[in-house]
């Protein structure tokens, strides 16, 4: 009886600690290859640390944790290596030749005199080097002649959380907020530390804890205590905390008559508030501001400019090292305008007028995180103003946490786009990392896809987007495939065939989604249900929140004419870029409908007419989700059962919803094209009215 009870308890323990995705890519499971494990063990007989600080303590603890898990044995920490060999030495404050190629956060890992040295100019560099060393072990890389030197290419690498004080997340698809505001500051959820560890492992060094549609509540003393508690958890991992601020706070919170940025009382209020924040959080990172956008208050409410508003906050921040990040996501409700052009028109006239503490944060594309967008014309157009880039990890227009979309190819597509701002090779990446224009402040931000779900991101495979963002923020030259291989090996499996299947899924997933959702440059930032197919949506408080504003389907054709005969948005790009896109006959198909209103009968480079090509994309895209399912099934033997089942269910939902999107688009556009579905594809079984009713369900209260 006792034996049966023991077996039951062991089984229960196994279930309790089954791989549920919580550990992310920091899975330090015992290496199964005994030869590899013993080789690593010979190089990790002890840990010695030169220097002391909370950051070095965090690095040492992480190294101990990782080595014990991977090797299956505890590795002691000793005071000094002396003449001993076969250990790992963490050394801060390196100089001379060892410091070559390192900035303040960089690291060097080298095998020397029988030991592995992890070195940095600062303790945070050693922390990043420690995680890099563990990554080598997790991905079964040799340590025999290790010689790694790496420094981040971008200075500020941060997540933007759109979390609200009430515990919800705007565009959050993985549960509620990570931050338990009602319990802070007294209760510190262990999850906060694990969040910090995960970010530090990627080199992410900043987090904006609240929504850009900000609440003034975050600036009260009560909430600053809570934010300070979070900052205390993040600090040993090299992460600074930032706040999104409500521009009208001097009026709504401070009781002033105005929030005019040129009013002396308003300026004093912000200076005093900034000083107060630093009393709670001495290493406060700075402010993120969404102003005069989508109804948010801002300086234009008082006849002032973005420069007036940003520079006022920069003046308040002047005594401190933090920055002001001013979002360029602005557009007016003008039925005659092209939202594509708005940010460029509003910000380029102010180039060179922003305070040096201000960074203008620009979305990767000109509209709003679409499945595929051309790069924003602002990149390369403001050489005197630091421009940061904003990507969206949370899949607002990429199928939420249901559809598989690996975003590294999307990030790379933008970063590798050539602006020609200083001739050929002037990529967006070179704008963002400061090398093109000499920006001293550089920034890459990602709108976080984390939430309170046990696995952090809802869809376990969406963890790859968090991982990819962090790795590219550190080094934008990494390839999507290399990042995918790292993540799969660290998170899912080392089994080569399974790695190959999952890698193929990830690398093809974005193009599959685009084909059934927004092929050939269709864009779809409309309101209403938001996640559902509504190409017919034409009623909204403002025209640019409708579907018809963007696709412009009519009896002649489809697409938004942004050439000189239309909105002329193409004029915002350099001539070399314009020439790629201004001719409908030579425009690359991924951007065709972004820039041209194309006749249904026009023959494309594929040899098919626009109508036939659209149908082909919609149908093959939806059909390709079945291929994703097949690849996942082939990987099943090497994947944890709980995680496998979770993803398999989401892929089944994706397959059903891909057909939903396909049918909505095809049936709607067919009413304009007046053409039959080309062979071998068949007419959808449902009618357009059927599809509309299926969407209307989500509008019911």
């Amino acid at each position: 009886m006792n034996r049966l009870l023991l077996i039951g308890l062991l089984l229960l323990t196994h279930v309790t600690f089954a791989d549920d995705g919580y550990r992310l890519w920091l899975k330090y499971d015992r290496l199964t290859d005994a030869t590899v494990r013993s080789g690593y063990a010979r190089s990790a007989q002890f840990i010695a640390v030169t220097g002391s600080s909370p950051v070095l303590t965090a690095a040492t603890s992480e190294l101990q944790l990782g080595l014990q898990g991977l090797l299956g044995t505890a590795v002691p920490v000793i005071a000094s290596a002396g003449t001993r060999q076969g250990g790992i030495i963490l050394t801060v404050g390196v100089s001379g030749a060892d410091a070559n190629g390192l900035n303040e956060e960089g690291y060097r890992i080298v095998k020397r005199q029988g030991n592995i040295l992890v070195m940095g100019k600062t303790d945070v560099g050693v922390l990043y080097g420690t995680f890099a060393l563990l990554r080598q072990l997790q991905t079964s890389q040799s340590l025999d002649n290790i010689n790694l030197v790496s420094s981040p290419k971008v200075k500020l690498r941060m997540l933007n959380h759109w979390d609200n004080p009430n515990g919800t997340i705007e565009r959050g698809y993985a549960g509620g907020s990570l931050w338990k505001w009602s319990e802070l500051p007294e209760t510190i959820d262990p999850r906060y530390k694990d969040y910090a560890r995960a970010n530090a492992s990627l080199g992410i060094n900043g987090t904006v804890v609240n929504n850009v549609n900000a609440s003034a509540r975050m600036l009260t003393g009560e909430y600053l205590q809570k934010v300070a508690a979070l900052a205390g958890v993040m600090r040993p991992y090299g992460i600074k905390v930032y706040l999104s601020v409500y521009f009208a706070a001097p009026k709504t919170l401070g009781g002033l008559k105005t929030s005019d940025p040129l009013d002396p009382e308003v300026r004093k209020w912000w200076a005093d508030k900034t000083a107060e924040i630093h009393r709670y959080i001495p290493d406060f990172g700075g402010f993120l501001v969404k102003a005069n956008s989508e109804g948010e208050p801002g300086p234009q409410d008082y006849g002032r400019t973005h420069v007036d508003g940003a520079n006022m906050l920069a003046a308040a921040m002047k005594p401190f090292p933090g920055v002001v990040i001013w979002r360029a996501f602005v557009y007016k409700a003008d039925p005659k305008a092209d939202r594509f052009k708005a940010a460029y028109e509003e910000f380029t006239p102010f180039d060179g007028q922003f305070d040096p503490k201000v960074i203008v944060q620009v979305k990767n594309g000109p509209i709003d995180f679409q499945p595929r967008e051309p790069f924003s014309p602002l990149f390369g157009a403001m050489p005197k103003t630091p421009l940061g880039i904003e990507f969206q990890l949370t899949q607002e227009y990429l199928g939420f946490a249901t559809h598989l979309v690996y975003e590294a190819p999307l990030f790379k597509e933008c970063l590798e786009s050539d602006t020609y701002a200083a001739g050929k090779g002037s990529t967006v990446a070179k704008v963002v990392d400061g090398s093109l224009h000499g920006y001293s402040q550089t920034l890459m931000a990602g709108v976080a896809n984390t939430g309170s779900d046990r696995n952090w991101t809802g869809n376990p495979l969406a963890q790859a987007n968090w991982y990819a963002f962090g790795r590219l923020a550190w080094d934008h030259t990494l390839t999507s495939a290399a990042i995918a291989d790292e993540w799969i090996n660290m998170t899912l499996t080392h089994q080569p065939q399974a790695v190959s299947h999952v890698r193929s899924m990830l690398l093809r997933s974005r193009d599959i989604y685009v084909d059934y959702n927004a092929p050939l440059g269709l864009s779809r930032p409309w309101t209403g249900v938001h996640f559902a197919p509504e190409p017919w949506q034409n009623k909204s408080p403002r025209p640019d929140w409708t579907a018809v504003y963007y696709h412009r389907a009519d009896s002649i054709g489809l697409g938004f004419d942004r050439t000189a005969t239309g909105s002329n948005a193409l004029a915002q790009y350099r001539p070399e870029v314009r020439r790629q896109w201004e001719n409908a006959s030579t425009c690359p198909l991924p951007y065709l409908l972004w820039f041209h209103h194309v006749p249904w009968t026009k023959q494309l480079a594929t040899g098919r007419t626009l109508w036939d090509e659209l149908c082909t994309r919609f149908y093959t895209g939806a059909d390709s989700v079945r291929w994703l399912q097949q690849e996942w099934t082939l990987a099943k033997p090497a994947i944890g059962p709980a995680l496998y089942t979770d993803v398999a269910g989401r892929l089944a939902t994706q397959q059903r919803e891909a057909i939903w999107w396909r049918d909505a688009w095809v049936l709607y556009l067919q009413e304009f094209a007046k053409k039959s579905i080309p062979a071998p594809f068949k007419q959808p079984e449902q009618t357009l009215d059927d599809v509309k009713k299926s969407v209307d369900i989500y509008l019911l209260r």
Side-chain angles (χ1 to χ4, degrees), residues 118-139:
V118 181
M119 300 179 284
K121 290 183 177 180
T122 62
D123 54 5
V124 75
V126 174
L127 175 71
Y128 296 145
T130 299
F131 279 111
L133 177 61
L134 287 169
R135 183 162 58 241
Q136 293 290 109
L137 273 62
Q138 288 177 277
T139 55

Side-chain angles (χ1 to χ4, degrees), residues 54-55 58 123-124 127 196 227-241 278 280-284:
V55 173
D123 54 5
V124 75
L127 175 71
V227 177
L230 292 178
V233 178
M234 307 296 167
R235 193 171 291 115
Y237 292 91
I239 300 169
K240 291 185 177 180
V241 166
H278 282 84
Y280 287 99
I281 312 166
D283 57 348
F284 179 62

Side-chain angles (χ1 to χ4, degrees), residues 310-550:
N311 288 355
M312 173 199 67
L313 291 175
M317 191 66 71
K318 194 68 71 177
F320 310 102
V323 297
V324 174
I325 304 167
W326 194 270
R327 294 177 90 230
F329 181 59
V330 295
Y331 59 97
K332 295 179 174 64
D334 184 352
K336 297 180 180 180
D338 181 357
R339 178 172 157 183
F340 188 111
K341 300 165 63 176
Y344 183 99
E345 290 176 340
E346 288 212 30
F347 279 86
T348 54
F350 299 120
D351 188 30
Q353 298 181 38
F354 288 95
D355 186 278
K357 275 188 170 288
V358 176
I359 304 171
V360 174
Q361 182 167 297
V362 183
K363 289 189 178 184
N364 61 283
I367 298 291
D368 188 11
F369 300 133
Q370 293 301 285
R372 173 168 275 128
E373 289 191 62
F375 69 89
S376 169
L378 272 175
F379 293 115
M382 297 185 69
K384 299 176 183 177
T385 305
L387 298 184
I389 195 167
E390 179 179 351
F391 291 116
Q392 190 182 51
L393 314 186
T394 192
Q395 295 173 217
E396 180 178 0
Y397 296 108
L398 293 172
F400 291 20
T402 302
H403 298 225
L404 168 61
V405 179
Y406 176 50
E407 295 181 283
L410 185 158
F411 304 155
K412 291 285 290 183
E413 189 175 285
C414 175
L415 291 168
E416 294 177 352
S417 294
D418 200 337
T419 71
Y420 286 88
K424 186 175 175 59
S426 304
T427 62
V428 171
K430 290 181 180 179
V431 175
V432 173
D433 71 15
S435 60
L436 187 66
H437 299 311
Y439 300 155
S440 60
Q441 297 281 12
T442 57
L443 163 71
M444 192 180 294
V447 180
N449 63 344
T450 51
S452 61
D453 281 4
R454 174 71 182 171
N455 68 11
W456 300 88
T457 58
N459 190 331
L461 300 189
Q463 294 178 5
N465 294 332
W466 181 5
Y467 185 88
F469 168 77
R471 294 291 282 136
L472 287 171
W474 181 277
D475 183 359
H476 54 67
T477 67
L478 296 172
T479 67
S480 298
I483 294 170
D485 277 349
E486 284 182 2
W487 180 79
I488 297 164
N489 275 277
M490 295 168 71
T491 310
L492 299 180
T493 178
H494 296 288
Q495 204 281 326
Q497 288 182 321
V499 170
S500 178
H501 289 304
V502 179
R503 180 199 308 119
S504 296
M505 292 175 65
L506 294 179
L507 294 178
R508 283 193 58 192
S509 60
R510 190 272 190 114
D511 282 337
I512 288 171
Y513 182 87
V514 168
D515 277 347
Y516 66 74
N517 188 280
L520 304 182
L522 277 175
S523 63
R524 40 157 296 237
W526 54 76
T527 54
V529 177
H530 199 77
F531 84 94
E534 284 185 288
W536 50 83
Q537 200 263 34
N538 62 0
K539 295 180 181 179
S540 183
R542 48 193 298 169
D544 50 6
W545 288 351
T546 66
V548 298
Y549 173 92
Y550 293 94

Side-chain angles (χ1 to χ4, degrees), residues 29-82:
D29 291 340
R30 189 169 183 264
L31 296 168
T32 56
D33 189 316
T35 302
V36 171
R37 194 171 63 247
S38 62
Y40 288 158
R42 285 193 296 272
S43 296
Q45 298 174 42
F46 63 86
I47 300 169
V49 186
T50 302
S52 63
S53 73
V55 173
L56 284 175
T57 299
T60 305
S61 297
E62 192 71 30
L63 188 56
Q64 277 193 296
L65 177 68
L67 291 175
Q68 178 159 354
L70 292 165
L71 306 181
T73 184
V75 178
V77 177
I78 62 176
S80 173

Side-chain angles (χ1 to χ4, degrees), residues 201-227:
S201 74
L202 305 175
I204 291 173
N205 63 2
T207 183
V208 185
V209 298
N210 63 312
N211 193 355
V212 290
N213 296 321
S215 166
R217 188 189 313 176
M218 300 304 298
L219 294 174
T220 64
E222 178 184 354
Y223 273 78
L224 289 177
Q225 292 182 64
K226 300 173 187 292
V227 177

